[in-house]
Amino acid sequence: VDASRPPFFGLRIKPLTSELAPRALKTLKLFLENGGRVPELIVTLPKVVSLEQVSVLVDALDALGATDARVEVMVEAPQLLP
């Protein structure tokens, strides 16, 4: 373990709403293609109102080869919780 590195790196993308999803996914792609692909990566998805939004993020990470990235979800709609 490299003591000079933080224990994790994080990126908070824009919400995956119909308006902001293209920008969020482009930011994620650019981040990963320009040095953001690290084992300690955590991607935060804010203002989640549907499980489909989480699936879109996971599919995007998979397509970009970042299958080891962790995902944090900020739930906007409490009715999504079991």
Side-chain angles (χ1 to χ4, degrees):
V1 175
D2 184 352
S4 67
R5 293 178 67 170
F8 60 88
F9 292 88
L11 172 69
R12 179 180 173 180
I13 62 173
K14 293 286 184 184
L16 290 178
T17 62
S18 58
E19 289 180 357
L20 296 174
R23 180 176 173 189
L25 296 173
K26 181 178 179 181
T27 298
L28 178 63
K29 181 177 186 274
L30 289 172
F31 179 81
L32 292 172
E33 290 176 345
N34 292 286
R37 193 179 308 255
V38 294
E40 306 87 0
L41 178 63
I42 299 173
V43 179
T44 301
L45 179 59
K47 299 185 179 183
V48 173
V49 294
S50 74
L51 294 176
E52 181 182 351
Q53 292 175 331
V54 178
S55 294
V56 168
L57 176 57
V58 171
D59 290 346
L61 289 168
D62 195 30
L64 293 166
T67 56
D68 56 345
R70 294 184 355 208
V71 174
E72 286 185 352
V73 176
M74 298 174 71
V75 177
E76 185 76 12
Q79 63 268 27
L80 290 176
L81 299 175

